[in-house]
Amino acid sequence: MTLAVFFGCTFIAFGPALGLFLFTIARDPLRIIILIAGAFFWLVSLLLSSLIWFIAVKASDPNDEQLQKGLLIFGVMFSVLLQEAFRFLYYKLLRKAIEGLVALSEDGCSPISIQQMAYVAGVGFGLMSGAFSMINLLADALGPGTVGIYGDSQLYFLTSAFMTMVLIFLHTFWGILFFHGCENRRWWEIAAVVVMHLAVSGSTFCNPLYVGSLVPSYVLMAVAATWAYLLSGGSAQNVRRFLLCLQSGASPQPGS
């Protein structure tokens, strides 16, 4: 049973993201480099926020439960803001990289667009975030121990896997929205990403009432996905044409 839980949660949490990587990133070395660099930027933001939270906890009274809970909330919110700050720094770095690629290319064009960079960077942020969210839980899933033996929910590992999956997708969509806001100086788009990130992270404090965290997170994911699709040039007409092609068994024509 423990192996079934382990592999089931692993595939739920990382299966869709692995598909994104294999079909859209793995064949392009430049995209792989951008993904790894994005994961590194997220990791550095986590390291700095964890260090600040650790210092705050050590400097406070460990017996004051209210203070410790407040520090935990502060640590989560500060970590979100720091992640978005590092997303902005990564955007600036990629912007400079595009200018360098254009200068080196013979035709004066970059081999990758800023929209593609935004997508790949978002996947990098999401995969590293998901890895740190689930790695300890997956280790615990192998046992020993029984989930819910003291009356708690037995869906802990399952809901954690679904939460990790939605966070990976959210980081992907947030990357597209954030970079678009930076490119077009639409600061309200950047603010929207930060607010959504704070809302999703804050909803986890509703646990073990998992409905209070999963449902809002998936609703926000649908909103972010639709928004990112529209900003990337998609439309409802394209979706209808794609569905019609699937029903007829024909292949969608480029540009149609």
Side-chain angles (χ1 to χ4, degrees):
M1 181 62 185
T2 53
L3 281 177
V5 172
F6 175 84
F7 286 111
C9 291
T10 300
F11 287 128
I12 290 172
F14 299 107
L18 181 61
L20 289 179
F21 174 77
L22 291 176
F23 290 109
T24 63
I25 298 174
R27 296 182 180 181
D28 190 330
L30 182 57
R31 294 187 182 189
I32 293 176
I33 293 172
I34 294 172
L35 182 140
I36 294 173
F40 175 75
F41 267 72
W42 186 91
L43 189 61
V44 173
S45 72
L46 178 67
L47 175 63
L48 292 178
S49 58
S50 299
L51 180 62
I52 293 174
W53 176 78
F54 178 78
I55 294 174
V57 169
K58 288 299 181 180
S60 61
D61 183 7
N63 298 319
D64 191 337
E65 294 185 2
Q66 287 296 113
L67 177 60
Q68 294 302 315
K69 184 177 180 179
L71 287 175
L72 179 60
I73 295 174
F74 161 77
V76 170
M77 299 298 112
F78 181 77
S79 177
V80 168
L81 296 176
L82 201 58
Q83 287 176 46
E84 297 306 328
F86 269 79
R87 198 192 302 273
F88 179 74
L89 292 176
Y90 192 41
Y91 162 77
K92 287 292 189 182
L93 178 64
L94 291 178
R95 220 29 199 108
K96 292 292 184 183
I98 286 182
E99 294 174 3
L101 290 172
V102 170
L104 292 174
S105 65
E106 296 180 356
D107 57 359
C109 297
S110 172
I112 185 170
S113 67
I114 190 66
Q115 292 86 357
Q116 292 171 331
M117 284 185 170
Y119 163 73
V120 177
V123 175
F125 267 63
L127 284 175
M128 186 56 70
S129 173
F132 270 80
S133 297
M134 281 299 292
I135 190 167
N136 290 330
L137 294 178
L138 291 175
D140 291 339
L142 291 174
T146 302
V147 178
I149 194 172
Y150 294 112
D152 296 322
S153 174
Q154 297 184 1
L155 301 176
Y156 174 65
F157 291 121
L158 187 61
T159 53
S160 298
F162 277 105
M163 193 67 187
T164 299
M165 181 179 69
V166 75
L167 279 174
I168 294 175
F169 279 117
L170 278 170
H171 271 292
T172 303
F173 302 138
W174 288 338
I176 297 172
L177 297 175
F178 194 96
F179 279 40
H180 184 271
C182 293
E183 276 291 291
N184 298 278
R185 297 188 179 276
R186 296 182 179 178
W187 306 117
W188 59 273
E189 289 182 352
I190 299 174
V193 170
V194 175
V195 170
M196 283 191 287
H197 199 167
L198 288 170
V200 171
S201 297
S203 69
T204 59
F205 289 106
C206 295
N207 295 336
L209 182 61
Y210 298 115
V211 175
S213 60
L214 282 176
V215 173
S217 298
Y218 273 85
V219 170
L220 286 176
M221 183 189 72
V223 172
T226 304
W227 193 358
Y229 173 72
L230 294 175
L231 290 182
S232 301
S235 65
Q237 186 178 13
N238 291 340
V239 175
R240 286 195 299 269
R241 288 178 176 176
F242 176 74
L243 294 176
L244 288 174
C245 288
L246 289 181
Q247 291 176 359
S248 64
S251 300
Q253 296 299 318
S256 62

